[in-house]
């Protein structure tokens, strides 16, 4: 599982010209699911996202977690996080999870996020989405389950 986590002052996602999700201060989370990912992997990744301390405290140090700033989260599925560009000029996506598994884990992650975050919004799995954001900092973190979860 890969997550690109962007600290934002606001973010939104549109499908077919209609806004389907938007947040204020918090995280835009782009979520990629790989072959072999499980609910246990998702649990570890979401726990890491929730506990990360990347919001500034009163001294300007990145010392606060999202719950300490009443932050929101916008979760967007993105299989292209598993693009393999080693050979040729056209990416391969063979490491990305199959659509059925990926959608099931995406829904699982959303359920977990709803239980943890002040407000959870989402994109639409498999849709052509237009994502807008104001990256705060900018501050972007890449999380990979191969580095976070001992399998």
């Amino acid at each position: 599982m890969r997550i690109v986590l962007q600290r934002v002052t606001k973010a939104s996602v549109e499908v077919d010209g209609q806004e389907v999700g938007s947040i204020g201060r918090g995280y835009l989370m782009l979520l990629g699911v790989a072959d072999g990912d499980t609910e246990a992997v998702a649990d570890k990744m979401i726990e890491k996202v929730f506990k990360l301390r990347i919001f500034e405290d009163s001294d300007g140090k990145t010392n606060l977690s999202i719950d300490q700033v009443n932050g929101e989260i916008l979760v967007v599925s993105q299989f292209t996080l598993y693009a393999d560009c080693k050979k040729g000029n056209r990416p391969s996506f063979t490491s990305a999870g199959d659509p059925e598994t990926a959608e099931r884990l995406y829904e699982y992650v959303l359920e977990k996020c709803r239980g943890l975050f002040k407000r959870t919004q989402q994109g639409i799995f498999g849709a052509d989405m237009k994502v807008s954001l104001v990256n705060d900092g900018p501050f972007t973190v890449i999380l990979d389950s191969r580095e976070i979860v001992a399998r």
Side-chain angles (χ1 to χ4, degrees):
M1 187 169 286
R2 288 186 181 147
I3 292 174
V4 174
L5 194 66
Q6 297 177 300
R7 187 180 75 185
V8 299
T9 57
K10 64 181 177 179
S12 63
V13 61
E14 289 184 0
V15 175
D16 296 328
Q18 297 294 318
E19 186 176 276
V20 295
S22 68
I23 62 166
R25 184 179 192 198
Y27 292 148
L28 168 62
M29 183 170 79
L30 305 176
L31 173 69
V33 173
D35 282 336
D37 283 343
T38 63
E39 286 83 356
V41 169
D43 287 342
K44 295 271 190 193
M45 295 293 282
I46 295 308
E47 180 181 7
K48 178 62 99 174
V49 167
F50 188 70
K51 290 181 177 180
L52 275 177
R53 297 183 314 164
I54 64 171
F55 289 90
E56 293 179 355
D57 63 16
S58 59
D59 295 325
K61 300 211 185 275
T62 52
N63 218 9
L64 301 176
S65 63
I66 192 166
D67 67 317
Q68 292 174 301
V69 298
N70 292 315
E72 304 171 340
I73 189 166
L74 174 59
V75 183
V76 176
S77 63
Q78 188 169 351
F79 78 96
T80 60
L81 294 180
Y82 279 95
D84 181 350
C85 300
K86 288 181 223 158
K87 295 180 182 177
N89 295 317
R90 184 170 179 221
S92 168
F93 299 100
T94 57
S95 296
D98 68 87
E100 184 178 302
T101 301
E103 185 171 15
R104 180 177 52 78
L105 286 174
Y106 174 68
E107 293 297 332
Y108 180 83
V109 166
L110 286 168
E111 178 184 323
K112 290 293 186 177
C113 287
R114 287 186 185 104
L116 289 172
F117 297 91
K118 171 187 168 189
R119 182 169 174 253
T120 299
Q121 293 283 290
Q122 69 188 72
I124 297 177
F125 184 88
D128 179 19
M129 295 176 274
K130 307 302 181 209
V131 179
S132 300
L133 70 140
V134 176
N135 194 320
D136 183 19
F139 205 121
T140 301
V141 176
I142 300 171
L143 304 172
D144 192 314
S145 61
R146 293 175 300 176
E147 298 169 357
I148 293 172
V149 179
R151 291 187 190 213

